Amino acid sequence: EGRVRVSSAKNAVLPIIAGTLLASTPSKLLEIPNLEDVGTICQVIESLGVKITRNKADDEIIFDASTLTATEAPYELVRKMRASFLVMGPLLARKGEAKISMPGGCAIGARPIDLHLKAFEALGAKIEITEDYVYAHAPEGLKGTQIYLDFPSVGATENVIMAASMAEGKTVIENAAEEPEIVDLATFLNAMGANIRGAGTNVIRIEGVPQLHGAIHTVIPDRIEAGTYLIAAAMAGGDVFVENALPEHLKPVVAKLKEAGVTVEEEIDGIRVISTGKGIKAVDIKTLPYPGFPTDMQAQFMAFTTIAEGTSTVTETVFENRFMHCKELNKMGADTQVISNHICKVNGVEKLHAAKTTCPDLRGGAALILAALVGEGQSEINNIYHVERGYENIEGVLNNLGADMTKI
């Protein structure tokens, strides 16, 4: 029971930090969460010569990219986190070249970077690929063009927006991703002097400008973190108000919670969940690009369906290796059956029990925490560094609501 305030969105913060590379004067970002991934992307851009000043008291960070010197992102940082690849677009735009190691991150499927590279080539960059790195250079600068993305990839859309913001002429991105995080990136870039229209729709138009300046920006709330806490309340029972959660960003999650019989109240400044944790009805979900059900909420929602009455079907259409949490949930008494890379059947059980489990990835780790909250006895979850990549102080937040969690 109680109130919880959602942090700024991890998936918006990372591209926006990469976007600071485009400015010839300092930018200030407000309310930046203290996350492992934020630390990694800051190290990546510091290695390129950017000066970073942190004001810990106010969660503010100032990025001064006027000192941008290098164009090669180091392997030991890029391999930690896939989002590091987002520095390629800004580096190409600002310096005309970029050399980046093959990216890492959660092992949730192929997530190829070919869409990014095809788009850079369309903008006039030459690409060289080895086993270890990608080198892109545009000796004559980038030129605006028409780009059609084969899949509405969030990362590719973000990278192309940043590259095209300083390309010569007009760029049109068709079949662009429509996520709120892309709208936030475009808002930040426009505050820096870019000319981007249509973010949040599947066609984005960008008129290139010769130079961008710094800006001050507050990042949008994290819809995945908000959704995770809504499900925690729905599973464990109680009455929780999630401050700062934007209902319009969470429509599919809220709709499915209501379909399962949970009381959800949408208010101007957040979302409230009232639940007994009992009598949850089975529901089917299918992940889709925004505005569909988010793939980043699939694992947490599956944890929720493990204690529902009846059989739920979870269909994953975005990534092909995103059911690694299933066997860990089964250790806790869940009955999940992976039918294929894309379909998992969940037969609801009366109750879960404690077990020793291991986080397979970021959102899978969150799912295990949710299951442990309602599992009888004391559970142990290992490899929690995955969870800390995307949730700030999750044990403190949940303990404030009445959980009993200790980080060892």
Side-chain angles (χ1 to χ4, degrees):
E1 291 186 337
R3 294 172 79 89
V4 51
R5 186 176 167 80
V6 177
S7 313
S8 296
K10 171 184 102 86
N11 290 341
V13 168
L14 303 179
I16 285 170
I17 289 176
T20 63
L21 290 168
L22 291 161
S24 50
T25 57
S27 294
K28 185 195 278 188
L29 302 182
L30 312 175
E31 293 186 29
I32 299 301
N34 181 20
L35 299 174
E36 199 69 40
D37 277 8
V38 170
T40 302
I41 195 94
C42 285
Q43 285 178 293
V44 170
I45 68 168
E46 269 183 316
S47 75
L48 301 170
V50 176
K51 285 199 183 108
I52 296 180
T53 313
R54 290 175 177 81
N55 179 348
K56 282 241 164 60
D58 301 321
D59 308 330
E60 290 178 8
I61 310 183
I62 296 167
F63 299 86
D64 183 358
S66 63
T67 52
L68 182 63
T69 48
T71 55
E72 181 175 347
Y75 167 74
E76 64 276 9
L77 295 175
V78 177
R79 72 178 175 82
K80 277 194 197 171
M81 184 182 68
R82 183 170 190 84
S84 314
F85 200 73
L86 290 170
V87 301
M88 182 163 263
L91 286 175
L92 265 177
R94 181 102 182 270
K95 290 289 193 183
E97 66 169 3
K99 184 177 176 182
I100 299 181
S101 304
M102 286 300 189
C106 283
I108 56 175
R111 306 213 282 185
I113 52 170
D114 57 340
L115 293 175
H116 302 239
L117 302 182
K118 235 166 88 173
F120 292 147
E121 281 181 321
L123 289 165
K126 293 180 170 53
I127 310 281
E128 293 169 29
I129 303 173
T130 71
E131 277 182 22
D132 302 324
Y133 63 82
V134 179
Y135 176 61
H137 60 115
E140 288 159 40
L142 299 173
K143 306 279 189 287
T145 186
Q146 192 103 358
I147 292 169
Y148 178 85
L149 293 175
D150 296 335
F151 177 82
S153 154
V154 175
T157 303
E158 291 165 342
N159 232 338
V160 178
I161 288 174
M162 292 188 279
S165 63
M166 286 172 71
E168 189 186 310
K170 189 178 190 176
T171 300
V172 179
I173 309 170
E174 293 182 290
N175 198 30
E178 300 174 36
E179 271 71 1
E181 293 79 11
I182 285 164
V183 179
D184 206 32
L185 174 64
T187 302
F188 174 60
L189 296 176
N190 284 341
M192 294 165 75
N195 183 354
I196 301 161
R197 285 168 302 148
T201 74
N202 64 356
V203 180
I204 299 175
R205 292 177 170 81
I206 303 149
E207 195 75 55
V209 296
Q211 202 174 8
L212 293 173
H213 53 75
I216 298 174
H217 183 74
T218 304
V219 179
I220 56 168
D222 195 318
R223 61 196 169 101
I224 306 303
E225 185 189 351
T228 303
Y229 295 142
L230 293 177
I231 289 174
M235 285 178 76
D239 182 344
V240 173
F241 184 74
V242 183
E243 282 178 48
N244 212 21
L246 298 174
E248 62 270 29
H249 289 178
L250 282 159
K251 281 180 183 169
V253 176
V254 167
K256 287 293 172 183
L257 283 171
K258 286 179 176 174
E259 193 184 320
V262 176
T263 302
V264 185
E265 295 174 358
E266 298 169 44
E267 297 176 26
I268 293 168
D269 56 341
I271 304 174
R272 182 181 180 190
V273 166
I274 304 164
S275 166
T276 60
K278 304 274 183 286
I280 295 165
K281 297 198 274 286
V283 285
D284 299 338
I285 61 163
K286 181 180 187 176
T287 67
L288 288 163
Y290 191 86
F293 194 95
T295 180
D296 276 356
M297 283 301 308
Q298 178 258 101
Q300 301 92 307
F301 208 89
M302 186 186 289
F304 172 69
T305 62
T306 63
I307 55 168
E309 292 169 2
T311 300
S312 305
T313 303
V314 176
T315 307
E316 173 60 62
T317 73
V318 180
F319 294 124
E320 80 282 3
N321 189 26
R322 210 159 195 187
F323 288 142
M324 293 184 292
H325 43 275
C326 295
K327 80 173 197 312
E328 298 299 314
L329 287 170
N330 287 351
K331 289 178 186 174
M332 303 174 86
D335 181 2
T336 71
Q337 297 165 13
V338 178
I339 310 298
S340 70
N341 275 351
H342 298 289
I343 297 173
C344 180
K345 291 266 186 221
V346 184
N347 298 311
V349 296
E350 207 169 304
K351 56 188 178 192
L352 299 175
H353 57 71
K356 190 171 177 174
T357 61
T358 302
C359 294
D361 53 56
L362 166 49
R363 305 306 171 185
L368 295 180
I369 289 172
L370 297 178
L373 285 174
V374 299
E376 284 185 359
Q378 182 177 288
S379 293
E380 184 180 304
I381 303 172
N382 295 293
N383 269 9
I384 58 157
Y385 73 89
H386 282 301
V387 176
E388 292 179 329
R389 286 185 39 224
Y391 295 89
E392 184 176 7
N393 186 25
I394 192 168
E395 69 282 358
V397 170
L398 291 171
N399 283 342
N400 281 343
L401 298 175
D404 180 1
M405 292 172 69
T406 312
K407 184 169 138 186
I408 301 164

